[in-house]
Amino acid sequence: MKEKIISVKNISKQYQQEQASGIHNISFDIHKGDIIAIIGESGSGKSTLLKCIYGLLTLDEGEVFYQDEKVWGPDVLLIPGHKQMKMVTQDFSLNIYAKVYDNIASMMANTDVHHKHQKTMEMMAHLHIDHLKDKKITQLSGGEQQRVAIAKALVTDTSVLLLDEPFSQVDALLKNQLRADIKRIAAETGVTVIMVSHDPADGLFLADELLMMKDGHLIERGKPADIYQQPKHIYTARMLGNAVVLNQEEANKLGLEVKDGHAVFYPEWVELNNSWNSRRFEVKDVYYKGFYEELLLERHGVKIRAIQLNRGVHKKNDHVQANIGRFLSL
Ligand code: ADP
Ligand code: MG
């Protein structure tokens, strides 16, 4: 069993002006070395939760612990947060006129200049930014700035790294690289990572655990694969896999038996083949997705989506046999 590093116990935080804001009665533990992804739509309380863990906000209720030490908020501490936690926000908070090297080195005291130099060089190598050592921050791309910000956060004795929307500034290519970097750095340094994103693609494949936030509530948590395959909420299925959601009437029209609630399935659960329980659908549209296509199918006025891996096999206005191989009643 992995060691517990953060405990969040029944925390609530409501912003004064608005009634429906903030987070409500949230509890969970985080284990050392894990990567945690907090996922949820905009306004669901992700940043608030992150700030509460870090000690930036005064809690209405509940407590946060770093190992066995309570994390105090700004009402108690002048400089909030535990010294072994570091947060990288979307604005990076870098000294834009200083060089990369100095931005990172400035985090450490001058008591041991050799150590300071050593650590700075080591961290730049870790983040693959050693070649940018003498550049000013203003000369860097968004992705490079982000690496500097992470290096800066990790160069001191950091055990928990908090990242708020870490990939929001970078293009798709760099996103993949940064994702892989974060995973590698976590594995190499043993740092625990808590990251927040509204884009589940950021978290799904990176995280050891996903926390789903909705309207300030933690609605479910689990391993990415488990929560994707077996979501408890329509919201989760929609966020994670752009699921098709049919109401009871629609589901019945396709022969799906749903007692109450909805039939929920991902497009890749729809099999385009002619089996005993396949039904005839019309292809209403074809969406190009790169190495595959998504088909918009319709039967008796009910629209669903399916994945077509071999492009061009079925075209608009074709009729296809499709079978919803698996669905969830939610
Ligand atoms: P997310 O990061 O998931 O987009 P936030 O944690 O920033 O969500 O916000 C959660 C809710 O709290 C939203 O409804 C937001 O409008 C509200 N909120 C956030 N910060 C403040 C604030 N400083 N004052 C008042 N309401 C806020
Ligand atoms: Mg936010």
Side-chain angles (χ1 to χ4, degrees), residues 48-204:
T48 305
L49 177 56
L50 206 64
K51 286 179 192 158
C52 288
I53 297 172
Y54 189 57
L56 276 182
L57 296 173
T58 303
L59 304 177
D60 298 342
E61 276 169 75
E63 291 171 303
V64 175
F65 293 91
Y66 174 88
Q67 288 169 339
D68 291 324
E69 302 162 41
K70 184 169 163 131
V71 177
W72 297 98
D75 53 333
V76 175
L77 279 184
L78 210 52
I79 302 164
H82 193 281
K83 65 179 189 309
Q84 281 179 305
M85 292 199 240
K86 286 281 174 337
M87 181 143 106
V88 177
T89 50
Q90 280 165 284
D91 61 17
F92 303 145
S93 318
L94 297 170
N95 179 355
I96 57 166
Y97 302 110
K99 288 177 180 170
V100 168
Y101 180 94
D102 296 323
N103 260 282
I104 300 166
S106 69
M107 295 301 287
M108 289 171 290
N110 271 325
T111 41
D112 186 345
V113 179
H114 177 70
H115 172 79
K116 181 171 172 167
H117 177 68
Q118 197 95 356
K119 280 294 276 184
T120 304
M121 295 305 287
E122 193 184 302
M123 202 43 75
M124 286 194 303
H126 250 328
L127 273 297
H128 304 312
I129 47 172
D130 20 5
H131 61 292
L132 304 172
K133 179 170 164 287
D134 295 319
K135 285 209 170 176
K136 291 205 177 98
I137 300 301
T138 47
Q139 298 171 294
L140 305 182
S141 71
E144 290 168 341
Q145 288 186 20
Q146 172 160 53
R147 280 168 201 250
V148 178
I150 293 175
K152 193 176 161 179
L154 289 179
V155 76
T156 50
D157 192 17
T158 302
S159 4
V160 180
L161 178 66
L162 302 103
L163 303 167
D164 197 347
E165 305 275 0
F167 307 118
S168 60
Q169 309 263 357
V170 299
D171 57 59
L173 199 66
L174 201 61
K175 219 183 232 198
N176 284 332
Q177 215 170 38
L178 280 169
R179 243 189 327 237
D181 278 347
I182 289 177
K183 192 151 188 150
R184 176 179 53 80
I185 291 159
E188 283 173 8
T189 61
V191 71
T192 305
V193 179
I194 310 173
M195 49 178 269
V196 155
S197 178
H198 67 276
D199 179 0
D202 291 346
L204 259 185

